[in-house]
Amino acid sequence: MSATTRYAAMSRRAAMTAAALTAMVALAGCNSGAGAPAEGDMAMGAPEGAKVTVVEYASVTCHVCAAWQEENWEAFKAAYVDTNKVRYVFREIPTPPREIAVAGFLVARCAGEDKYFDIVHELLASQQELVADPRSTLFRVGNGAGLSNEQIQQCITDEAGQLAAEERAEASLSAGVQGTPTFFVNNVKVITPGSQSGTSMADLSKAIDAELAKG
């Protein structure tokens, strides 16, 4: 059995709901839930209830997400996350190859909250490798976070974990997210008109700084 076939088999339930999730995108509008705390949120920086909350919806198999991380993450993290100026929340919305994205997120969660972002960022940085050879890449990245191959296998075949991943994806779509990466600053979507590479760092910083400046 090939690696691609194996991972497709691991997420049959996720694949079966793909059409329904796509339909939800067409029906969903922007609502007030995007910035509110959600089940399964992973966060860095300031604590919950911070003056400014930045929510990113992204996928480890989204090439624009990978490019955004490479070009902007370190500057964003240094300016706003490490300084505790904002609460940064990452929300998973798997993109094709969807089964690989789900597997990557499951491994990140199995590694624990303290290593979650390390794995997500490493998978984004290794995205071409991940898509070409998911099994080897997930084992390599998971091993680096202290997981054994057996633990990784258990993570990505766990039915409860797969169901929770589906529920998080549905919640993201119901918040009006129609592409990745998508950023919200205090519940307001930040868009760079005409951009083919997601929200620009300049527009994101402008929105954050405006919120920080409020009395």
Side-chain angles (χ1 to χ4, degrees), residues 190-204:
V190 181
I191 300 173
T192 299
S195 173
Q196 299 299 311
S197 56
T199 305
S200 71
M201 183 65 182
D203 285 340
L204 187 60

Side-chain angles (χ1 to χ4, degrees), residues 3-4 21 34 42 53 61 73 91 98 104 123 126 137-138 140 143 162 171 173 175:
T4 300
L21 294 178
M42 289 294 184
T53 296
T61 55
W73 171 251
R91 290 185 183 160
R98 194 178 188 280
L123 290 175
S126 306
T137 307
L138 289 173
R140 175 181 63 77
N143 292 162
Q162 290 182 6
L173 293 172

Side-chain angles (χ1 to χ4, degrees), residues 5 10 16 18-19 31 42 57 93-94 98 108 127 131 134 137 153 160 170 174-175 180 194 214:
T5 303
M10 288 173 182
M16 290 171 62
N31 64 26
M42 289 294 184
Y57 293 85
I93 183 164
R98 194 178 188 280
Q127 189 178 94
V131 173
T137 307
Q153 189 79 11
E170 290 172 2
S174 69
T180 54
K214 290 182 179 179

Side-chain angles (χ1 to χ4, degrees), residues 94-201:
T95 56
R98 194 178 188 280
E99 67 277 4
I100 296 175
V102 170
F105 286 135
L106 291 176
V107 172
R109 287 181 176 274
C110 284
E113 291 187 23
D114 60 328
K115 297 180 181 177
Y116 174 86
F117 284 103
D118 291 338
I119 288 188
V120 167
H121 292 158
E122 179 60 25
L123 290 175
L124 282 166
S126 306
Q127 189 178 94
Q128 291 185 345
E129 177 189 352
L130 174 66
V131 173
D133 188 355
R135 176 184 172 84
S136 296
T137 307
L138 289 173
F139 280 172
R140 175 181 63 77
V141 175
N143 292 162
L147 296 174
S148 67
N149 288 356
E150 183 179 359
Q151 288 174 314
I152 294 167
Q153 189 79 11
Q154 291 174 346
C155 284
I156 58 182
T157 57
D158 179 67
E159 291 188 2
Q162 290 182 6
L163 179 59
E166 290 174 29
E167 291 173 347
R168 288 190 293 270
E170 290 172 2
S172 296
L173 293 172
S174 69
V177 179
Q178 299 184 29
T180 54
T182 294
F183 290 88
F184 287 82
V185 175
N186 281 359
N187 212 32
V188 176
K189 187 184 295 186
V190 181
I191 300 173
T192 299
S195 173
Q196 299 299 311
S197 56
T199 305
S200 71
M201 183 65 182

